[in-house]
């Protein structure tokens, strides 16, 4: 199988990529995405309208510059971050991205869930890094709403994985009721 | 027993389809072995020494006769005509081909079985008392809660990539723990409510385990009202998922976290987390409890007189084979006129826990004929027919004898728990199964075996302790000494309410000497015990190691 990668999609302009996003209807789809993830010393993109993701440290440092840009800004955090420490500073962002350093490190699942369920984050919650199609379903149920797959991973497989199950025993962010409160 | 509704069935069917898709992507190279490994592990597929192995879940050990027949059929179709019952109430097949696994799992799904989360760093099969529902000393039927926990833990999205594997055991008998709850990551003990009219609840233990760092679980909460069971488990798992060590696989179990923080600090963290979720949607509803409990209602027992005297007389029968069988393998049932029958999978010369397809089919047939079609797998790697009308015991014994299933050694020293060891396992230092076989062969005299009374003997082929050697009254651990198989002998372990970790008796012994050493230990006990009422474990606890050391190593020589 040939994975879908950016290189096959010449119509995308530089800096754009395809991701999997769960739409408002709850249906997952492939979407084109322009968010630029910046390291603490990376310059802002020359195109002022491009939305950017920065670390919390940089958000504090460059707050003014961020507010002056026309593009939106969001925050990216490591998967082992403490929601207790950061939730307040994330609450108003339209997008928070969580880095999955290694797909076998499951701390980011608790982080995502707590940001949603405990700290009321309602924006887009994105996973990036070692994000593989076979974990998307667990991620979605923990509150993630978009996925930047690891390089070379098939978005179509990702979509298929998201619809593998019609039933789950546990509640989720949109409906906290476990199956035993929904059984019919 | 629990019967799937359309939700349960859909989930298991969809899981098979998902794994089929994953395997085909693995075979096409779309996913790498590193990416595939956790996926296959969480579907029960292990890499063993020679081949893939599949571990199928038997939730809390309970099987219907149809399910057991399917396990037999699967062993014939996809394997070599036998299966191995493990110490966690699962069954393992040693020789399936990866390409066949989806079909195998689809066959199992037709009888409401699966292999979900039988391996990997996730919440494993919840285990329980093999006498659940029929024991006289039971407060509540733990299987109801096991099933509720099974559903909560199955494909739990937050806890699929824990630092390490996670095992939960539940007992419903407050004074007779047969589920080894104190050597589990979480042990759940049903206990009476604080007031006379209060419903039962749970004592929650945490941080037990064997392996390299054996540890007895400590009390995390003295009394948990039963409706909060799942939210409390969720709180423990969340604390563990967030704070358990991930830098070193050997320090990643929850027992290390509990040990590092101390039980007080650990339980404070759990309580703080729990306080935030306890009153949420996870509270168990009476309706759900009733729905699940209905499936565990007693089968239609006949109203009979007590059969206790009859069973006692059978135990003294002139037919010594029958008498010994009844004395050691038959347990009193809560229902008058019925008995619990243990079927030993530790016949002489056989690998502990193995059963052939023919044996499984016979047991299924006997369960239909004499026992409401139910079978239980005990964590001691034996089978149980939980509901046999006592008057059928002689017939049942005769039928079992025909297929080598009437070994009268339940709870005796030849009822050995042994891990697969060097014969199958790529981590092993030494063989386990041949040691078990040789010990059984050594203790030929059945009167002597019964005179020794209840003694547990556990063998592990390496420090990972899959044979639970730390909690055997006698424990044997295989070690490697310059490429040679050596064995360490431990005494004094127990997995029950009086749980303790065994201690090493002296220098390790070569394979040629270990069996005689065990015989020597048994002889020392018999010669020195106060009376036949003093169990081996009690004697070890009273007399200490000196008498054994003197007999085994000579007074000061080796030690
Ligand atoms: S104890 Fe060691 S040898 Fe035995 S099964 Fe476990 S890992 Fe293998």
């Amino acid at each position: 199988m040939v994975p879908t990668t950016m290189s096959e999609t010449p119509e995308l302009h530089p800096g754009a990529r395809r991701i999997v996003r769960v739409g408002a209807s709850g249906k997952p789809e492939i979407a084109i995405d322009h968010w630029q993830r910046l390291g603490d010393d990376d310059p802002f993109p020359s195109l002022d309208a491009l939305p950017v993701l920065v670390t919390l440290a940089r958000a504090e440092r460059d707050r003014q510059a961020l507010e002056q840009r026309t593009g939106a800004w969001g925050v990216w955090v490591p998967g082992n971050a403490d929601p207790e420490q950061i939730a307040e500073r994330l609450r108003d962002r339209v997008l928070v991205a969580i880095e999955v350093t290694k797909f076998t490190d499951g701390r980011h699942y608790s982080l995502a869930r707590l940001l949603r369920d405990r700290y009321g984050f309602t924006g887009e919650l994105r996973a990036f890094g070692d994000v593989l199609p076979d974990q998307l379903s667990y991620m979605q149920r923990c509150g993630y709403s978009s996925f930047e797959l690891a390089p070379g991973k098939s978005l179509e497989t990702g979509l298929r994985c998201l619809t593998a199950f019609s039933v789950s025993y546990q509640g989720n962010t949109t409906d906290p009721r476990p199956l035993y409160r929904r059984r019919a | 027993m629990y019967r799937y509704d359309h939700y349960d069935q859909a989930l298991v069917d969809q899981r098979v389809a998902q794994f089929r898709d994953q395997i085909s992507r693995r075979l096409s190279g779309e996913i790498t072995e590193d990416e595939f490994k956790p996926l296959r592990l969480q579907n029960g597929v292990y890499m063993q020494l020679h081949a893939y192995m599949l571990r199928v879940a038997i939730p809390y050990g309970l099987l219907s006769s149809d399910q057991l027949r399917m396990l037999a059929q699967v062993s014939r179709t996809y394997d070599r005509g036998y299966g191995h019952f493990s110490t966690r109430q699962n069954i393992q097949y040693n020789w399936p081909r990866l390409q066949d696994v989806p079909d195998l799992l689809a066959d199992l799904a037709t009888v409401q079985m699966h292999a979900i989360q039988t391996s990997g760093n996730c919440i494993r099969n919840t285990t329980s008392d093999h006498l659940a529902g029929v024991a006289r000393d039971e407060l509540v039927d733990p299987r109801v809660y096991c099933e509720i926990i099974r559903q909560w833990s199955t494909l739990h999205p937050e806890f699929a990539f824990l630092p390490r594997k996670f095992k939960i055991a539940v007992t419903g008998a407050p004074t007779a723990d047969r589920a080894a709850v104190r050597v589990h990551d979480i042990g759940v003990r049903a206990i009476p409510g604080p007031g006379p009219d209060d419903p039962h609840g749970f004592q929650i233990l945490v941080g037990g385990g064997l392996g390299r760092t054996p540890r007895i679980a400590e009390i995390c909460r003295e009394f948990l009202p039963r409706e909060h069971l799942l939210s409390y488990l969720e709180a423990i798992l969340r604390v563990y998922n967030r704070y358990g060590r991930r830098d070193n696989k050997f320090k990643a179990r929850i027992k290390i976290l509990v040990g590092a923080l101390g039980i007080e600090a650990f339980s404070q963290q759990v309580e703080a987390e729990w306080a935030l979720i306890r009153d949420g949607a996870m509270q168990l509803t009476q309706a759900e409890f009733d729905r699940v409990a209905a499936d565990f209602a007693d089968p239609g027992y006949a109203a009979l007189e007590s059969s206790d005297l009859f069973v006692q007389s059978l135990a003294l029968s002139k037919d010594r084979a029958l008498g010994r069988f009844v004395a050691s393998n038959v347990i009193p049932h809560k229902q008058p006129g019925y008995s619990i029958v243990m079927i030993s999978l530790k016949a002489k010369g056989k690998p502990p826990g193995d059963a052939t397809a023919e044996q499984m089919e016979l047991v299924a047939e006997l369960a239909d004929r004499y026992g409401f079609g139910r079978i239980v797998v005990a964590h001691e790697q034996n089978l149980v027919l939980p509901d046999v009308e006592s008057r059928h015991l002689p017939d049942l014994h005769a039928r079992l004898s025909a297929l080598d299933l009437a070994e009268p050694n339940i709870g005796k020293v030849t009822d050995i728990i042994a891990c697969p060891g060097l014969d199958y396992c790529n981590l092993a230092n030494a063989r386990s199964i041949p040691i078990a076989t040789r010990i059984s062969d050594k203790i030929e005299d059945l009167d002597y075996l019964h005179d020794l009374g209840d003694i547990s003997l556990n063998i592990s082929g390496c420090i990972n302790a899959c044979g639970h050697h730390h909690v055997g009254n006698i424990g044997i651990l295989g070690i490697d000494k310059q490429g040679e198989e050596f064995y360490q002998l431990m005494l004094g372990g127990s997995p029950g309410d009086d749980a303790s970790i065994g201690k090493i008796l002296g220098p390790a012994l070569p394979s040629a000497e270990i069996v005689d050493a065990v015989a020597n230990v048994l002889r020392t006990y018999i010669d020195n015990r106060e009376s036949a009422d003093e169990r081996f474990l009690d004697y070890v606890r009273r007399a200490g190691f000196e008498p054994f050391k003197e007999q085994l190593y000579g007074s000061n020589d080796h030690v």
Side-chain angles (χ1 to χ4, degrees):
Chain A
M1 186 172 296
V2 184
T4 305
T5 64
M6 276 159 46
S7 59
E8 289 164 64
T9 54
E11 73 273 19
L12 290 180
H13 60 71
R17 67 186 74 74
R18 289 173 194 277
I19 62 166
V20 172
R21 179 182 284 138
V22 181
S25 63
K27 213 171 119 46
E29 60 200 17
I30 294 175
I32 296 178
D33 179 75
H34 297 98
W35 285 87
Q36 306 298 306
R37 198 165 48 250
L38 303 180
D40 283 354
D41 298 317
D42 294 340
F44 286 127
S46 46
L47 193 57
D48 201 46
L50 274 184
V52 294
L53 283 166
V54 296
T55 63
L56 273 171
R58 184 161 186 185
E60 226 155 273
R61 189 187 75 194
D62 294 347
R63 182 73 182 222
Q64 242 187 341
L66 285 164
E67 297 291 355
Q68 276 162 8
R69 295 182 76 250
T70 47
W73 65 277
V75 169
W76 67 273
V77 297
N80 63 358
D82 266 334
E84 292 80 359
Q85 306 293 319
I86 61 174
E88 197 52 48
R89 288 175 282 161
L90 302 180
R91 195 194 307 272
D92 298 329
R93 305 271 55 93
V94 286
L95 190 146
V96 168
I98 296 177
E99 180 174 25
V100 180
T101 37
K102 181 83 193 95
F103 79 98
T104 48
D105 183 337
R107 284 177 285 189
H108 71 94
Y109 292 102
S110 290
L111 171 60
R113 241 193 115 181
L114 292 175
L115 287 179
R116 286 286 195 219
D117 296 355
R118 186 160 300 161
Y119 298 102
F121 177 69
T122 54
E124 181 172 334
L125 191 58
R126 170 165 317 174
F128 72 97
D130 198 13
V131 177
L132 309 176
D134 287 293
Q135 279 81 51
L136 297 195
S137 160
Y138 284 146
M139 290 184 192
Q140 183 191 5
R141 290 166 56 206
C142 284
Y144 285 103
S145 50
S146 66
F147 311 94
E148 182 183 332
L149 294 186
K153 293 300 162 193
S154 157
L155 293 147
E156 285 73 23
T157 303
L159 281 187
R160 190 166 78 243
C161 289
L162 275 168
T163 52
F165 290 95
S166 64
V167 50
S168 63
Y169 286 120
Q170 304 78 15
N172 60 41
T173 304
T174 20
D175 183 353
R177 294 174 306 159
L179 183 63
Y180 53 84
R181 290 176 183 272
R182 289 179 272 133
R183 258 191 159 102
Chain B
M1 60 188 288
Y2 185 72
R3 262 160 310 188
Y4 285 8
D5 66 8
H6 65 280
Y7 294 107
D8 304 304
Q9 189 67 50
L11 188 133
V12 166
D13 291 342
Q14 290 166 7
R15 178 66 163 188
V16 174
Q18 181 196 41
F19 193 40
R20 196 185 288 281
D21 180 44
Q22 290 166 339
I23 288 178
S24 75
R25 281 186 282 129
R26 172 69 198 114
L27 296 174
S28 78
E30 187 181 337
I31 32 186
T32 66
E33 178 55 24
D34 275 357
E35 292 163 358
F36 182 58
K37 189 177 171 191
L39 307 180
R40 68 165 161 77
L41 288 175
Q42 299 204 17
N43 283 289
V45 179
Y46 253 92
M47 193 60 144
Q48 283 267 58
L49 200 52
H50 311 289
Y52 283 116
M53 179 203 89
L54 178 71
R55 180 183 292 150
V56 173
I58 302 176
Y60 36 95
L62 184 59
L63 286 169
S64 70
S65 53
D66 284 341
Q67 289 175 328
L68 185 54
R69 268 187 286 270
M70 179 57 84
L71 293 177
Q73 187 189 310
V74 158
S75 80
R76 278 209 188 88
T77 313
Y78 304 101
D79 207 289
R80 300 188 179 173
Y82 71 93
H84 174 78
F85 290 98
S86 80
T87 52
R88 296 205 74 255
Q89 300 182 301
N90 295 313
I91 186 169
Q92 294 171 186
Y93 296 108
N94 284 322
W95 312 98
R97 300 183 325 149
L98 184 61
Q99 304 88 295
D100 291 341
V101 169
D103 289 340
L104 192 167
L105 293 174
D107 287 354
L108 289 174
T110 64
V111 292
Q112 312 191 344
M113 295 188 79
H114 61 75
I116 298 171
Q117 291 170 213
T118 53
S119 180
N121 294 336
C122 52
I123 305 171
R124 304 286 190 85
N125 182 27
T126 298
T127 53
S128 190
D129 185 346
H130 55 277
L131 304 186
V134 294
R136 288 186 179 173
D137 49 22
E138 183 166 285
L139 173 70
V140 288
D141 189 337
R143 297 169 304 179
V144 180
Y145 296 105
C146 289
E147 177 57 30
I148 287 169
I149 293 172
R150 184 188 76 81
Q151 298 191 14
W152 161 78
S153 61
T154 297
L155 308 191
H156 195 301
E158 192 180 339
F159 306 133
F161 294 93
L162 296 168
R164 203 73 176 83
K165 58 189 170 182
F166 202 93
K167 302 173 179 181
I168 302 174
V170 186
T171 174
T175 58
D177 174 18
R178 286 171 289 259
V181 300
R182 288 172 186 77
V183 289
H184 278 77
D185 295 292
I186 295 179
V188 177
R189 295 181 63 230
I191 51 173
D197 296 326
D198 294 332
H200 68 268
F202 304 103
Q203 185 186 65
I204 306 291
L205 300 133
V206 71
L210 301 172
R212 299 171 183 242
T213 325
R215 206 166 175 286
I216 303 291
E218 294 174 90
I219 296 171
C220 192
R221 181 165 246 277
E222 278 292 353
F223 184 82
L224 180 71
R226 60 184 198 142
E227 64 271 23
H228 294 306
L229 179 61
L230 294 185
S231 59
Y232 202 81
L233 296 181
E234 183 129 323
I236 295 176
L237 264 296
R238 184 167 291 149
V239 168
Y240 173 54
N241 189 43
R242 293 185 58 189
Y243 303 112
R245 283 181 64 172
R246 291 174 187 266
D247 58 327
N248 179 344
K249 153 176 191 203
F250 301 119
K251 302 211 182 297
R253 295 288 291 268
I254 196 174
K255 62 190 171 189
I256 304 291
L257 179 64
V258 174
L261 292 174
I263 185 64
E264 258 168 52
F266 177 84
S267 86
Q268 273 167 18
Q269 285 198 25
V270 170
E271 294 280 327
E273 174 61 36
W274 182 53
L276 298 169
I277 57 174
R278 55 173 284 174
D279 297 320
M282 290 192 73
Q283 263 196 51
L284 199 56
T285 61
Q286 186 65 37
E288 175 66 359
F289 176 81
D290 292 343
R291 183 185 78 88
V292 178
D295 278 353
F296 294 98
D298 284 342
Y301 294 126
L304 302 170
E305 304 273 297
S306 164
S307 59
D308 289 2
L309 287 175
F310 170 72
V311 175
Q312 280 165 31
S313 73
L314 281 184
L316 300 170
S317 162
K318 277 209 282 299
D319 175 350
R320 287 316 295 141
L322 174 63
R324 284 198 192 96
F325 177 79
V326 171
S328 73
N329 295 29
V330 174
I331 298 169
H333 197 288
K334 68 174 186 184
Q335 180 74 18
Y338 286 81
S339 289
I340 303 163
V341 176
M342 305 287 303
I343 299 172
S344 170
L345 296 180
K346 318 289 176 66
K348 259 194 204 325
K350 300 279 164 58
D354 276 12
T356 64
E358 293 71 39
Q359 288 178 322
M360 291 187 236
E361 279 160 356
L362 176 74
V363 172
E365 182 205 325
L366 296 175
D368 281 337
R369 193 177 174 115
Y370 300 118
F372 298 95
R374 296 195 300 186
I375 304 97
V376 183
V377 182
H379 81 85
E380 294 89 351
Q381 302 177 284
N382 294 312
L383 299 179
V384 187
L385 292 177
D387 296 296
V388 176
E389 239 186 84
S390 301
R391 69 190 167 96
H392 295 310
L393 287 172
D395 290 346
L396 180 60
H397 173 253
R399 296 290 312 274
L400 288 171
S401 304
L403 278 191
D404 222 5
L405 287 170
E407 192 77 24
N409 65 349
I410 295 297
K412 305 293 182 281
V413 72
T414 58
D415 184 1
I416 295 169
I417 294 178
C419 79
L422 197 55
D423 296 298
Y424 295 99
C425 175
N426 46 16
L427 302 172
N429 290 322
R431 282 167 293 176
S432 324
I433 294 169
I435 301 295
T437 314
R438 282 166 53 206
I439 291 172
S440 305
D441 288 344
K442 179 92 187 175
I443 304 169
E444 255 180 312
D445 181 350
L446 285 174
D447 287 325
Y448 180 59
L449 178 71
H450 281 233
D451 191 26
L452 286 167
D454 286 349
I455 305 178
S456 61
L457 194 156
N458 297 50
I459 309 175
S460 302
C462 81
I463 196 168
N464 287 319
C466 303
H468 303 174
H469 63 276
H470 300 107
V471 289
N473 297 168
I474 299 173
I476 296 175
L477 166 65
I479 58 172
D480 175 90
K481 258 197 182 177
Q482 281 125 31
E484 254 195 88
E485 292 168 79
F486 267 67
Y487 295 89
Q488 234 162 32
L489 193 54
M490 307 175 115
L491 299 181
S494 163
D497 284 313
D498 59 352
S500 56
I501 303 289
K503 295 208 177 68
I504 297 169
L505 186 60
L509 300 161
S511 176
E513 290 174 32
I514 185 68
V515 175
D516 286 335
V518 170
N520 183 313
V521 161
L522 295 174
R523 181 49 67 189
T524 305
Y525 156 66
I526 283 273
D527 290 346
N528 294 289
R529 68 183 177 189
E530 243 161 22
S531 74
D533 288 337
E534 187 176 41
R535 293 179 311 160
F536 178 80
L537 182 62
D538 299 330
Y539 173 73
V540 173
R541 285 177 177 168
R542 176 175 66 81
F545 280 15
E546 277 318 308
F548 296 105
K549 280 188 184 168
E550 252 165 54
Q551 289 303 316
L552 191 56
Y553 298 103
S555 37
N556 288 319
D557 288 4
H558 289 57
V559 195

